[in-house]
Amino acid sequence: AAGAPKPLPSSGPKSLREMPHPLATSSSEEMGPALTPSPDLLLPRSIADKDLSLPNGTPVDTSSPASSSSLLNRLQLDDDLDGETRDLFVTVDDPKKHVCTMETYITYRVTTKTTRAEFDLPEYSVRRRYQDFDWLRNKLEESQPTHLIPPLPEKFVVKGVVDRFSEEFVETRRKALDKFLKRITDHPVLSFNEHFNVFLTAKDLNAYKKQGMALLSKMGESVKYVTGGYKLRSRPLEFAAIGEYLDTFSLKLGTIDRIAQRIIKEQLEYLVELREYGPVYSTWGGLEVELSEPLEGVSACIGNCCTALEELSEDMTEDFLPVLREYILYSESMKNVLKKRDQVQAEYEAKLEAVALKKEDRPKVPTDVEKCQDRVECFNADLKADMERWQNNKRQDFRQLLMGMADKNIQYYEKCLTAWESIIPLLQDKPETK
Amino acid sequence: MEDCLAKKMEIAVSEAEKRTGRNAMNMQETYTAYLIETRAVEPQSEGQCAPVDSLWRRYSEFELLRNYLSVTYPHIVVPPLPEKRADFVWHKLSADNMDPDFVERRRIGLENFLLRVASHPVLCQDKIFYSFLTQEGGWKEMVNETGFQLKADSRLKALNATFRVKNPDKRFTELKHYSDELQSVISHLLRVRARVADRLYGVYKVHGNYGRVFSEWSAIEKEMGDGLQSAGHHMDVYAASIDDILEEEEHYADQLKEYLFYAEALRAVCRKHELMQYDLEMAAQDLTSKKQQCEELATGTVRTFSLKGMTSKLFGQETPEQREAKIKVLEEQIQEGEEQLKSKNLEGRDFVKSAWADIERFKEQKNHDLKEALINYAVMQISMCKKGIQVWTNAKECFSKM
């Protein structure tokens, strides 16, 4: 069990307030010297050391809650962010088309309601387009490389095949963008990210985008983990397991996507035939006298079933498939994070080995290697925490998605059932009773 | 209602059997034989149940029976046989005559045919029909002895010939038109229905793939595993359910097919009327021209151009004796002609009367049967919807436990 943490210097969720930060000696902005860390928390040893810096030498701001990422992650794992403890609400809605000389594009309204101190105002409403979301995601990946960043709907659509401005496409995209922001909002570390804040609040995001490249960000923006040279001998078991899980998971999702697409295709072909089938009864009804009404009734009934089927296929296309694809993209980006983790570990192990071979420094391990070790442990902690959170959310998302699929099919059959049941009295009607 | 055979006798086509034998050209052939079982309805003395008589017949014998009935009772809308070859099939259905499902449906169709004939007030009294049901040997010879084959050939020709009738009974003209349209619309319906069945089959079967992938997925999940696995099972059930659903629907298709073929029988009756009417009109026309000729010869005036008249003008007139002879022949022919015309007229009127009576009977039967068929179809659809709701509700419950 962790030692009682002291409150963080932020207006974070109340529940966290009750738990003082283990590394804070006071409620001041700066972190005090490190306390003895609890054995089960993989605390980076020198997190309170102001010399902690990222590989490229940029100092890390430890005053922001985002830097104590692993701790926050762990502490908030069981936190049920329901309406009471939630202090940040974000919604994406109201798509609008903009026609300019150079291009035509869609913007979405992003509304924020919050009580967090990081925000100057309690409410914000800004307009953002897809490339702004894309920019945000890239910034998050850069600045929070140890975390799993939610996916965006696909950037490119094949022109001519998909109408980028159709209601259905825009609505599907809106839902995905909304989900994207909500996932970030729910994340205890990502939701405090500076870029996220700006995205939600800035009137002129483009100005900030340009500015961001020039300024030296305290978050260490241009962090690019070293990619060259280091090869990991073996992935630790738990991360290997995650990797294998993600491989199989995305494979299975891919299969489900193909099956769902095939079903929709078959349904649409069935619909084509039904559309020819119904009217033939009507034609026949025109030939008959006594059977005229019953035959017309059957024709109308089939027509109703056609409408119901059309609705089912549309729903599956607009609601079911996009979520599947989102999770496949999610898996891909998660696998990349796993690879980055491997590289961090590889670098550490290589440096450690180099030191061991040199035998220069005696018992004291050089700070360079120490920093690597901290980075590894930090990464591992963040990743594990995020994985647990992801697994939980995934379970809920799929539960909802699949229940939704079942629901849509039930509704389809209920519509058809109503149609057929309603014509039974018509069919049984005897001429004398008329 | 007259007491028809169906009331006195239970009739069933209870079995079908594959047989091999030698055909007319002494070549080996495989065919299916059907067992016809009959039993008197009236209870026998001593309160015992009547014994069951049975005999085997093959499809070609049924065809012979029907041909005989069509020729012998041209004013009756004769019930049709089930199709000779599997038509309007969708991919799962076999077009093979020896396929067990086809044989089974044919068995039912043949039984239906016999019951239709047995419940027809006129046809059920036919002795050939009775022998078909009860006399195993020598039936074919009996049929041929009736000499119906001769009539059959001319009838076939007549049914397909084109001729113009000046004064048909309008009701028959309309009815023929109706039967043509009915054939067309039911054919169209059956074709599209087969395609619909094919597509529906595809939709259901693809869902079976969910079963497998959910099972594979559940293997890597902890909490979600059970829910996925059991939901997958329901997807398998869903995929399998289409087989029974479509099998039942074939029965509906068979009911439609019966009336598709009935339309043909209806058309035949209309054509028979047209034939008779044409015959009548030709005979009347012939009589008129003969009378005219006679008159011309008698009065010496040529009102109409005739080659004979021309040649006689060119090559000399006939002698009075020759003329007298001709007139006498004509007068005899006219006498004959008038009698024939009278009987043809009577025949025609009788035909129209009795045919129309049977047509009215047929119309009522058709309306009743097709209504029943549509109701059954709706009931089948309702059952399919309920099954669908059940399966997806079960699956939803499994998903909720994820």
Side-chain angles (χ1 to χ4, degrees), chain A residues 74-173:
Chain A
R74 281 318 224 58
L75 293 167
Q76 286 193 333
L77 261 178
D78 304 319
D79 224 327
D80 212 352
L81 290 171
D82 52 26
E84 291 171 41
T85 52
R86 208 182 258 269
D87 61 353
L88 177 66
F89 299 88
V90 179
T91 312
V92 178
D93 63 6
D94 190 34
K96 274 197 167 43
K97 195 177 190 179
H98 299 258
V99 183
C100 310
T101 42
M102 292 301 286
E103 54 171 350
T104 306
Y105 59 93
I106 307 271
T107 63
Y108 304 83
R109 181 177 65 180
V110 178
T111 317
T112 307
K113 289 191 171 73
T114 181
T115 55
R116 287 190 185 179
E118 287 76 19
F119 294 85
D120 293 333
L121 301 172
E123 270 189 53
Y124 291 91
S125 182
V126 296
R127 294 212 75 96
R128 298 284 181 250
R129 55 185 291 190
Y130 182 92
Q131 48 178 239
D132 298 332
F133 286 83
D134 196 35
W135 168 88
L136 173 63
R137 192 176 188 283
N138 288 333
K139 284 296 172 208
L140 288 173
E141 269 194 331
E142 278 173 18
S143 57
Q144 316 277 181
T146 63
H147 288 286
L148 303 175
I149 315 295
L152 275 178
E154 267 152 22
K155 191 176 208 164
F156 300 109
V157 280
V158 184
K159 280 192 185 169
V161 176
V162 180
D163 179 9
R164 291 182 299 138
F165 303 110
S166 73
E167 256 186 66
E168 294 83 21
F169 178 81
V170 170
E171 176 57 16
T172 303
R173 210 173 226 204

Side-chain angles (χ1 to χ4, degrees), chain B residues 188 247 275 336 388:
Chain B
H188 188 191
E247 208 184 284
L275 204 67
E336 238 179 84

Side-chain angles (χ1 to χ4, degrees), chain A residues 245 248-249 252-253 255-256 259-260 262-263 266-267 269-270 273-274 276-277 280-281 283-284 287-288 290-291 294-295 298 320 391 394-395 398-399 402-403 405-407 409-410 413-414 416-417 420-421 424 427-431, chain B residues 178 181-182 185-186 188-189 192-193 195-196 199-200 202-204 206-207 209-210 213-214 216-217 220-221 223-224 228 238 252 256 366-367 370-371 374-375 377-379 381-382 384-386 388-389 392-393 396 399-402:
Chain A
Y245 170 84
T248 311
F249 177 72
K252 294 308 148 195
L253 285 194
T255 306
I256 293 173
I259 296 170
R262 177 78 190 277
I263 289 174
E266 295 283 340
Q267 279 172 344
E269 286 176 349
Y270 171 55
E273 302 299 347
L274 274 185
E276 193 184 324
Y277 185 51
V280 181
Y281 281 99
T283 307
W284 188 0
L287 284 181
E288 301 286 339
E290 203 179 304
L291 292 175
L295 287 167
V298 171
F320 186 78
Q391 282 285 13
K394 173 212 80 186
R395 184 170 67 87
F398 275 96
R399 183 174 174 276
L402 292 169
M403 282 178 76
M405 171 172 92
D407 251 336
N409 278 279
I410 291 168
Y413 278 112
E414 280 179 344
C416 294
L417 181 66
W420 286 106
E421 280 182 335
I424 291 278
L427 294 174
Q428 288 174 328
D429 198 18
K430 299 226 180 341
Chain B
Y178 166 78
E181 302 265 298
L182 188 67
V185 86
I186 296 184
H188 188 191
L189 195 64
V192 185
R193 192 214 69 90
R195 293 204 302 260
V196 167
R199 291 299 178 193
L200 188 62
V203 171
Y204 271 75
V206 179
H207 279 85
N209 293 324
Y210 274 146
V213 74
F214 283 168
E216 290 167 3
W217 183 9
I220 59 168
E221 297 291 343
E223 290 154 338
M224 278 168 55
L228 274 176
Y238 181 73
Y252 170 70
L256 293 180
K366 175 206 79 174
N367 287 336
L370 289 173
K371 236 186 214 178
L374 289 175
I375 291 170
Y377 185 65
V379 168
Q381 300 305 305
I382 287 168
M384 181 169 81
C385 290
K386 284 188 175 164
I389 291 170
W392 282 105
T393 306
K396 185 179 172 184
F399 291 139
S400 75
K401 296 192 181 129
M402 268 168 55

Side-chain angles (χ1 to χ4, degrees), chain B residues 290-301:
Chain B
K290 285 205 162 72
K291 281 185 176 168
Q292 205 158 20
Q293 272 179 47
C294 205
E295 198 199 313
E296 284 169 15
L297 281 175
T299 58
T301 52

